[in-house]
Amino acid sequence: MGFWQRTRALRWWIIAIVMLGTIINYLVRQTLGVVVATESFQADVPMTKEQYSWVTGVFQAFIMLQPVVGYILDRIGLRNGMAIFATAWALLTFAHGWVTSWQGLAALRGALGFAEGTSHTAGLKVVSEWFPAKERGLAGGIYNLGASAGIAMAGPIVAIAVVWWNWRAAFYVAGALALLWVVLWLLYYRRPEEHPNLSPEERALIETGQEAHVQATEGARPAVLSLLGRRNFWGIALPRFLADPTWATLTFWLPLYLSEVRGFNLGELAIAVVLPFVAADIGCLAGPALVLWLERRGIALIDARRWTFTIGALMMTSMIFVGGVTSPYMAVALLSIGAFAHQTLSVTCITMASDLFRKNEVGTVAGMAGTMANLGVLIFTLLIGALVVRIGYDPFFIALGVLDLIAAALLWTLVRKPDQDPGRESGWIPIVLGAILSGGLTLFYASGVAPAPCTLFTSFSACDVPIAMRGIWGFGLALALLGIIIEIRARGTRAA
């Protein structure tokens, strides 16, 4: 009998491999966020704040293709799919070391964004397949540790690379680590049904701990429009849309903020950037621990997750005060509280997909919810790039402290527990939300209150409207049209 069969702990080794992959995924994406704050990079690849926001925006635009990535993983399987995508991370990261212009950098970030969309999608699929319901929260917290750990590692790696070699070497190191992980993944990962080292006892533990409502429908493909018509999907996706700009701000803008506004040098930056992500790592474990504590006191799983999200949202209000404190160290402390709170609520919301949807739907649901999350990131980062020179960072920190409170309210309002009536499929949620976004912005600019007023029937392109605002308007319109399509389909299905 082998080691894993004796210990009956193979599932924890599998999630450790996934966590390591998440570390490398976020190390790869964060390397640029630290490199861009160095003088040597700015000398070799000059760009303005707005151009940098476009570089990060292109990454977010392509990472929004997570539904495509999730669907591919649902169809071809995790083992081969992740090996292909992670190899792409490595090669594209190597290529970052060869860029000479911000346009070339933007093209590489777009390709990397598509490839890296597998991170949370794959992690959630592993959690849904390898863990019973009572362990999913902890397993999700463990693999999510990798996000903040990878970002925290980027600072020291970049600092060492710049001191010993140059900024390009940081990308070469990150790319090499990605290739090593591919080898580890192919050596050890299999589905539970196929893994030769899974003991009968551990297999039984996994299978008996799965709820009936999450079992995969044999041979069925994920019905995308059907999923988009369910309120539980929007109950997960919209909170992620509102919450994830925090993570993007910490990932893409924190080094620049600490360097330019708080006056940190490279050595101080390497330490200060790490602290919020260490706190975030603790939040990854605190969230599942709080859910488990609430469950043991008789609170249902979904309600326990909602309460945990709400507590995290309340703690996120610390971000409101970041710009108002005079001490740079107090600012880092408040950012660290925010990072802890964000991961506490984020891992809780992400894991809910495996509680509410079938195994053969989880990848697609995670991908589509990830698209909403990254759309929020894209809009927020473009707003920072367009407005930070004029209004500074303070309004954005205030917004981050408020958005999660709205997200918590939506989580309580929209999500139905498995034992409740899920309601019929409908497109009214995206219709109403789309109308609020597009109609609200139209009235805002037509009213004359906005900095760049337009008449009601004037195109935004004819006014000095930030591209992020135009993006929000376009997204609202697209969301409303999508809702109409979903509603037509749902009514046709009911009539049949």
Side-chain angles (χ1 to χ4, degrees), residues 105-122:
L105 185 61
L108 284 174
R109 295 305 283 183
L112 184 65
F114 177 73
E116 289 212 322
T118 50
S119 178
H120 284 299
T121 304

Side-chain angles (χ1 to χ4, degrees), residues 144-199:
N144 272 284
L145 282 172
S148 42
I151 293 173
M153 289 170 59
I157 286 177
V158 170
I160 292 171
V162 170
V163 172
W164 288 4
W165 298 289
N166 52 51
W167 63 264
R168 300 178 191 275
F171 291 109
Y172 302 150
V173 171
L177 290 173
L179 285 179
L180 289 174
W181 183 82
V182 173
V183 175
L184 182 68
W185 174 260
L186 289 174
L187 283 175
Y188 288 101
Y189 186 78
R190 303 287 189 282
R191 295 175 59 206
E193 297 85 354
E194 302 167 352
H195 209 295
N197 294 324
L198 183 63
S199 69

Side-chain angles (χ1 to χ4, degrees), residues 223-231 233-234 357 368 372 425-427 429-430 482-483 486:
V224 174
L225 286 179
S226 174
L227 294 173
L228 287 171
R230 300 183 201 176
R231 60 184 293 156
F233 166 75
W234 294 103
F357 294 91
M368 293 190 299
M372 290 293 295
E425 292 179 14
S426 171
I429 292 175
L482 176 63
I486 294 168

Side-chain angles (χ1 to χ4, degrees), residues 198-224:
L198 183 63
S199 69
E201 294 83 3
E202 189 173 6
R203 188 187 307 275
L205 174 66
I206 295 169
E207 292 175 353
T208 57
Q210 301 282 350
E211 311 99 309
H213 70 270
V214 301
Q215 297 304 314
T217 304
E218 191 65 32
R221 298 183 181 184
V224 174

Side-chain angles (χ1 to χ4, degrees), residues 290 307-317 338 341-342 344-345 404:
L290 181 55
W307 277 116
T308 300
F309 189 101
T310 303
I311 292 170
L314 291 171
M315 293 183 66
M316 270 295 297
T317 56
H342 173 75
T344 296
L345 62 85
D404 283 342

Side-chain angles (χ1 to χ4, degrees), residues 41 94 99 110 183 221 305-306 327 336 394 415 421 433 454 494:
F41 177 85
F94 278 124
V99 296
V183 175
R221 298 183 181 184
R305 294 208 195 282
R306 288 193 282 208
S327 167
S336 298
D394 294 2
V415 170
D421 179 9
L433 288 171
C454 301
R494 290 196 295 269

Side-chain angles (χ1 to χ4, degrees), residues 69-430:
V69 171
Y71 192 85
I72 291 171
L73 294 180
D74 279 337
R75 296 295 296 156
I76 71 174
L78 274 179
R79 186 170 183 270
N80 293 332
M82 280 303 298
I84 292 169
F85 282 111
T87 300
W89 307 346
L91 299 179
L92 289 166
T93 303
F94 278 124
H96 276 59
W98 308 330
V99 296
T100 56
S101 68
W102 74 267
Q103 294 94 335
L105 185 61
L108 284 174
R109 295 305 283 183
L112 184 65
F114 177 73
E116 289 212 322
T118 50
S119 178
H120 284 299
T121 304
L124 197 56
K125 278 186 69 64
V126 171
V127 168
S128 69
E129 291 180 355
W130 273 89
F131 289 87
K134 65 181 181 181
E135 295 178 346
R136 281 197 209 117
L138 179 57
I142 289 173
Y143 92 74
N144 272 284
L145 282 172
S148 42
I151 293 173
M153 289 170 59
I157 286 177
V158 170
I160 292 171
V162 170
V163 172
W164 288 4
W165 298 289
N166 52 51
W167 63 264
R168 300 178 191 275
F171 291 109
Y172 302 150
V173 171
L177 290 173
L179 285 179
L180 289 174
W181 183 82
V182 173
V183 175
L184 182 68
W185 174 260
L186 289 174
L187 283 175
Y188 288 101
Y189 186 78
R190 303 287 189 282
R191 295 175 59 206
E193 297 85 354
E194 302 167 352
H195 209 295
N197 294 324
L198 183 63
S199 69
E201 294 83 3
E202 189 173 6
R203 188 187 307 275
L205 174 66
I206 295 169
E207 292 175 353
T208 57
Q210 301 282 350
E211 311 99 309
H213 70 270
V214 301
Q215 297 304 314
T217 304
E218 191 65 32
R221 298 183 181 184
V224 174
L225 286 179
S226 174
L227 294 173
L228 287 171
R230 300 183 201 176
R231 60 184 293 156
N232 275 351
F233 166 75
W234 294 103
I236 296 171
L238 290 175
R240 291 197 61 192
F241 172 78
L242 294 170
D244 267 40
T246 297
W247 195 247
T249 303
L250 294 173
T251 302
F252 297 128
W253 295 96
L254 179 60
L256 281 174
Y257 171 73
L258 294 178
S259 173
E260 296 180 353
V261 178
R262 296 296 181 173
F264 285 29
N265 60 37
L266 182 60
E268 292 170 329
L269 200 63
I271 298 172
V273 168
V274 169
L275 295 177
F277 296 106
V278 171
D281 271 343
I282 299 171
C284 284
L285 298 179
L290 181 55
V291 170
L292 185 59
W293 185 83
L294 292 171
E295 276 193 282
R296 288 175 176 172
R297 278 147 186 82
I299 297 178
L301 174 62
I302 298 301
D303 285 338
R305 294 208 195 282
R306 288 193 282 208
W307 277 116
T308 300
F309 189 101
T310 303
I311 292 170
L314 291 171
M315 293 183 66
M316 270 295 297
T317 56
S318 66
M319 297 289 278
I320 293 173
F321 307 103
V322 169
V325 297
T326 56
S327 167
Y329 305 107
M330 180 58 70
V332 172
L334 290 171
L335 288 164
S336 298
I337 294 172
F340 170 86
H342 173 75
Q343 283 300 80
T344 296
L345 62 85
S346 179
V347 68
T348 301
C349 188
I350 290 171
T351 307
M352 286 182 74
S354 61
D355 300 323
L356 299 170
F357 294 91
R358 296 183 181 277
K359 290 180 183 178
N360 60 312
E361 298 172 340
V362 166
T364 305
V365 168
M368 293 190 299
T371 292
M372 290 293 295
N374 283 289
L375 182 62
V377 168
L378 173 61
I379 292 171
F380 203 79
T381 197
L382 288 177
L383 282 172
I384 294 177
L387 301 175
V388 71
V389 174
R390 282 183 276 174
I391 66 175
Y393 287 91
D394 294 2
F396 297 101
F397 289 128
I398 293 170
L400 294 176
V402 174
L403 289 175
D404 283 342
L405 295 175
I406 301 172
L410 289 172
L411 197 66
W412 281 100
T413 303
L414 295 178
V415 170
R416 296 281 182 88
K417 292 183 284 188
D419 59 349
Q420 293 179 318
D421 179 9
R424 65 185 186 181
E425 292 179 14
S426 171
W428 280 107
I429 292 175

